[in-house]
């Protein structure tokens, strides 16, 4: 076992029993949603995964260890502590060697999941190429991680605060397949359509598992984006989200928000400007992804078994 990994009792038992395990990130808890909705969401998403016959492994850094699976008390700490650092690839050695509290982004969670032998990871939205990246160079480390780390990431697409077209171009360049389920269109997080198509539509978990395992059996290392549109009843009206996104982006520019603060700033402003309705959509889509991720993790085991 890796020296930095610490499994919860639940995840250790699941590993011993060969059960399906689903990784979950913690930046979404510490920096993506306000308290107490964040901790409620974290606990409910874990339970959805259990109810679907898989075992949740929320990942964070605490006391010099990468924790694979967290207790309710640890989830509460991440949800409330102002000290929780947003941890991406570059930050992992710092939080670990300094024994700081770290909430892992998509990129860092992928690294930790791969170390722990977990191949399916559920989140809300991935980072991407920011609008104006041609001059700001602001491209999320999540995209590089998808290029190199072999974990399937179930998400509701990419937020329209980002440049979705450039994000898809970047993923194509790095050989990261973007799969959609239930529709051809690549979703835009709060809404079901972005105006762009995914590369491949694979509706069932069995087809997705076969695709993922074929990629890795070919020696093609790296991630896969499995995009799952927010359910229609939970989606936000397109015009409203477009207006609010434009305003939040303008404010970020006016306030000279930069670096790792950009994404949390935009998420928080969108939530304020929609009076919390974007938060309800955000929570609904993560839960929807948890169901898809649990089914995929189970299908990965079934598909392995028949080979
Ligand atoms: N998008 C969301 N909610 C989030 C994030 C992105 O809708 O909480 C978080 C994820 O943890 C993602 C990170 O990995 O923001 C990306 O941050 P950055 O753009 O700084 O790489
Ligand atoms: Mn950035």
């Amino acid at each position: 076992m890796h020296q930095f990994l610490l499994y919860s009792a639940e995840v250790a038992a699941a590993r011993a029993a060969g059960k399906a395990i689903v990784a979950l990130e913690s930046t979404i808890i510490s920096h993506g949603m306000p308290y107490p909705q964040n901790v409620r969401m974290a606990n409910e998403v874990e339970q959805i995964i259990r109810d679907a016959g898989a075992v949740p492994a929320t990942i964070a850094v605490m006391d010099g260890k990468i924790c694979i699976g967290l207790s309710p008390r640890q989830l509460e700490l991440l949800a409330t502590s102002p000290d929780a650092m947003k941890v991406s690839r570059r930050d992992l050695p710092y939080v670990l060697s300094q024994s700081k509290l770290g909430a892992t982004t998509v990129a860092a969670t992928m690294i930790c999941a791969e170390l722990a032998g977990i191949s399916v990871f559920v989140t809300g939205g991935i980072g991407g190429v920011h609008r104006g990246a041609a001059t700001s160079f602001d491209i999320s480390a999540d995209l590089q991680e998808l290029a190199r780390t072999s974990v399937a990431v179930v998400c509701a697409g990419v937020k329209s605060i980002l440049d979705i077209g450039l994000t898809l171009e970047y993923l194509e360049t790095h050989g990261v397949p973007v799969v959609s389920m239930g529709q051809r269109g690549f979703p835009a997080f709060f809404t079901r359509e972005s105006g762009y198509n995914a590369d491949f539509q694979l509706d069932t978990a069995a087809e997705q598992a076969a695709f993922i395992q074929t990629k890795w059996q070919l020696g093609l290392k790296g991630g896969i984006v499995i995009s799952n549109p927010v359910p229609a009843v939970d989606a936000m009206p397109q015009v409203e989200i477009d207006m609010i996104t434009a305003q939040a982006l303008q404010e970020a520019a006016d306030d000279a928000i930069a670096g790792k603060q950009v994404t949390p700033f935009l998420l928080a402003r969108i939530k304020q400007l929609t009076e919390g309705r974007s938060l309800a959509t955000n929570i609904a889509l993560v839960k929807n992804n948890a169901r898809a991720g649990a089914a995929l993790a189970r299908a990965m085991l079934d598909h392995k078994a028949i080979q």
Side-chain angles (χ1 to χ4, degrees):
M1 173 157 123
H2 197 281
Q3 59 176 326
F4 290 114
L5 294 183
L6 183 65
Y7 293 97
S8 68
E10 183 185 18
V11 175
R15 280 165 56 83
K19 284 198 190 156
I21 303 176
V22 175
L24 297 160
E25 64 153 309
S26 44
T27 289
I28 192 175
I29 304 171
S30 297
H31 306 278
M33 290 183 192
Y35 184 80
Q37 289 94 336
N38 55 0
V39 68
R40 198 178 311 142
M41 177 279 305
N43 282 296
E44 288 174 2
V45 164
E46 288 200 347
Q47 194 54 46
I48 286 169
I49 289 170
R50 290 187 193 101
D51 291 345
V55 174
T58 306
I59 294 177
V61 179
M62 290 182 191
D63 305 318
K65 293 283 180 197
I66 296 169
C67 299
I68 310 290
L70 301 175
S71 67
R73 196 193 54 78
Q74 289 173 314
L75 290 176
E76 182 77 18
L77 177 67
L78 282 163
T80 52
S81 174
D83 301 327
M85 266 186 72
K86 178 179 164 187
V87 176
S88 195
R89 167 176 276 264
R90 64 140 189 225
D91 312 293
L92 262 179
Y94 177 77
V95 277
L96 277 169
S97 61
Q98 291 284 314
S99 293
K100 304 243 187 222
L101 179 63
T104 50
T105 63
V106 168
T109 306
M110 288 180 74
I111 294 169
C112 300
E114 191 180 52
L115 284 174
I118 303 172
S119 56
V120 176
F121 161 29
V122 163
T123 187
I126 56 172
V129 179
H130 283 258
R131 299 195 199 180
T135 49
S136 70
F137 274 36
D138 192 351
I139 300 175
S140 174
D142 293 352
L143 299 186
Q144 275 290 326
E145 211 55 56
L146 281 159
R148 70 213 292 180
T149 301
S150 298
V151 172
V153 181
V154 181
C155 66
V158 169
K159 277 212 179 73
S160 57
I161 55 172
L162 301 171
D163 189 319
I164 299 177
L166 290 189
T167 300
L168 292 171
E169 290 290 351
Y170 192 101
L171 292 171
E172 180 190 5
T173 300
H174 290 277
V176 179
V178 177
V179 172
S180 62
M181 40 196 298
Q183 62 181 36
R184 260 324 294 280
F186 181 64
F189 195 87
F190 293 121
T191 55
R192 290 173 65 81
E193 295 289 350
S194 64
Y196 296 88
N197 278 340
D199 304 319
F200 313 107
Q201 179 178 343
L202 297 172
D203 292 338
T204 66
E207 290 169 292
Q208 294 157 15
F211 177 96
I212 293 163
Q213 282 168 6
T214 300
K215 173 171 156 68
W216 293 338
Q217 281 160 355
L218 286 167
L220 301 176
K221 293 196 177 60
I224 297 97
V225 176
I226 306 281
S227 64
N228 186 28
V230 61
V233 287
D234 301 307
M236 292 199 54
Q238 180 83 53
V239 268
E240 183 185 1
I241 201 71
D242 285 350
M243 262 174 46
I244 282 162
T245 300
Q247 183 177 340
L249 285 166
Q250 186 58 51
E251 290 178 9
D254 293 346
D255 296 356
I257 307 290
K260 67 196 276 189
Q261 269 77 47
V262 173
T263 298
F265 174 87
L266 293 171
L267 297 181
R269 275 308 279 152
I270 289 174
K271 191 220 140 210
Q272 286 166 346
L273 293 168
T274 61
E275 291 152 342
R277 273 170 302 121
S278 66
L279 181 59
T281 299
N282 198 341
I283 292 168
L285 66 83
V286 178
K287 290 181 176 176
N288 189 49
N289 293 344
R291 286 181 275 270
L296 175 57
R298 295 185 59 173
M300 293 283 283
L301 288 182
D302 295 344
H303 191 258
K304 240 180 225 152
I306 57 170
Q307 287 204 326

